[in-house]
Amino acid sequence: EPEVTQTPSHQVTQMGQEVILRCVPISNHLYFYWYRQILGQKVEFLVSFYNNEISEKSEIFDDQFSVERPDGSNFTLKIRSTKLEDSAMYFCASSDYWGAGNEQFFGPGTRLTVL
Amino acid sequence: KNEVEQSPQNLTAQEGEFITINCSYSVGISALHWLQQHPGGGIVSLFMLSSGKKKHGRLIATINIQEKHSSLHITASHPRDSAVYICAVKLIFGTGTRLQVFP
């Protein structure tokens, strides 16, 4: 069964460093999403991506964040100059149609720890 | 602003009990998503529904668009059902309902 994969499973970084979180969506899916979940809190939408551009983003997704689809399979989230409060689990998801009305499939997450 | 509220926040049950988790939202929608988050953190999609009822195994989800309310039911609950159940609407997630089922 096709699945969304994410790497690494756990990333530890120093405050101020840049990190890139990687996702491989399901191959025939066209819409891609990043979410984050701070420990003990609810899942929060960051950004959605379609046709090589951002289609929607939340207030959390500021200039510190960027997304890219560098090739036909990977979908990345870059966090520049990480802060302590960026420590969270980051989930990638994909869907074959626009997500609000269509099922999203989630990856296992990357746990980011900023020291 | 879209708010998604779930109740209860925490739920404990004995194996075999019938479980109901509720979700209310504040904006008009075309579909609502029920998800399950395992203790290890992984998120699994359970249902996407836009009207009426859907059933998958022991899980049943219902939605009333007019009342802006959805319920997730688990029949004959089992310890392996222990997880956090999350309702999501228009990319906004509820805080989840933590379910623990004891043998």
Side-chain angles (χ1 to χ4, degrees):
Chain A
E1 187 175 326
E3 59 182 15
V4 177
T5 60
Q6 289 185 243
T7 54
S9 57
H10 191 187
Q11 173 93 49
V12 180
T13 191
Q14 294 289 327
M15 189 170 58
Q17 296 295 305
E18 175 182 285
V19 294
I20 297 176
L21 309 183
R22 291 182 167 80
C23 169
V24 178
I26 293 173
S27 62
N28 63 337
H29 284 183
L30 301 175
Y31 297 86
F32 315 115
Y33 314 84
W34 282 104
Y35 297 89
R36 80 171 184 190
Q37 186 177 33
I38 295 170
L39 186 64
Q41 298 186 22
K42 66 178 183 178
V43 176
E44 300 172 291
F45 168 71
L46 292 177
V47 66
S48 59
F49 192 85
Y50 169 70
N51 200 27
N52 284 319
E53 61 183 24
I54 291 171
S55 49
E56 193 167 344
K57 61 181 181 178
S58 70
E59 294 172 350
I60 303 167
F61 194 88
D62 59 21
D63 292 342
Q64 183 195 8
F65 295 90
S66 62
V67 288
E68 195 176 37
R69 188 155 162 82
D71 54 44
S73 60
N74 288 284
F75 178 51
T76 63
L77 174 69
K78 182 189 290 186
I79 309 174
R80 286 181 280 274
S81 189
T82 50
K83 303 183 282 242
L84 295 176
E85 54 265 38
D86 293 327
S87 295
M89 183 76 96
Y90 289 81
F91 292 100
C92 172
S94 69
S95 65
D96 52 2
Y97 295 102
W98 169 234
N102 289 278
E103 188 172 7
Q104 294 179 34
F105 294 83
F106 285 79
T110 292
R111 182 171 299 283
L112 176 65
T113 302
V114 182
L115 302 175
Chain B
K1 185 179 174 184
N2 182 27
E3 300 287 342
V4 179
E5 295 189 359
Q6 290 185 234
S7 63
Q9 285 189 315
N10 294 283
L11 187 54
T12 58
Q14 291 292 317
E15 183 173 356
E17 284 186 13
F18 181 82
I19 305 292
T20 296
I21 299 169
N22 296 298
C23 176
S24 297
Y25 50 91
S26 57
V27 297
I29 62 165
S30 57
L32 176 146
H33 206 167
W34 279 104
L35 304 145
Q36 180 192 55
Q37 187 167 29
H38 297 293
I43 296 175
V44 175
S45 173
L46 297 175
F47 295 103
M48 178 70 78
L49 68 165
S50 56
S51 65
K53 181 166 84 172
K54 281 190 176 180
K55 184 175 188 294
H56 185 252
R58 295 181 294 107
L59 300 177
I60 303 166
T62 63
I63 189 168
N64 185 318
I65 296 290
Q66 287 73 32
E67 294 186 3
K68 297 181 180 177
H69 180 268
S70 177
S71 294
L72 177 68
H73 306 284
I74 305 174
T75 62
S77 59
H78 189 276
R80 65 174 174 265
D81 297 326
S82 299
V84 176
Y85 291 84
I86 302 170
C87 163
V89 168
K90 284 188 173 178
L91 303 176
I92 303 297
F93 286 62
T95 53
T97 294
R98 184 174 300 277
L99 171 66
Q100 287 188 291
V101 181
F102 294 99

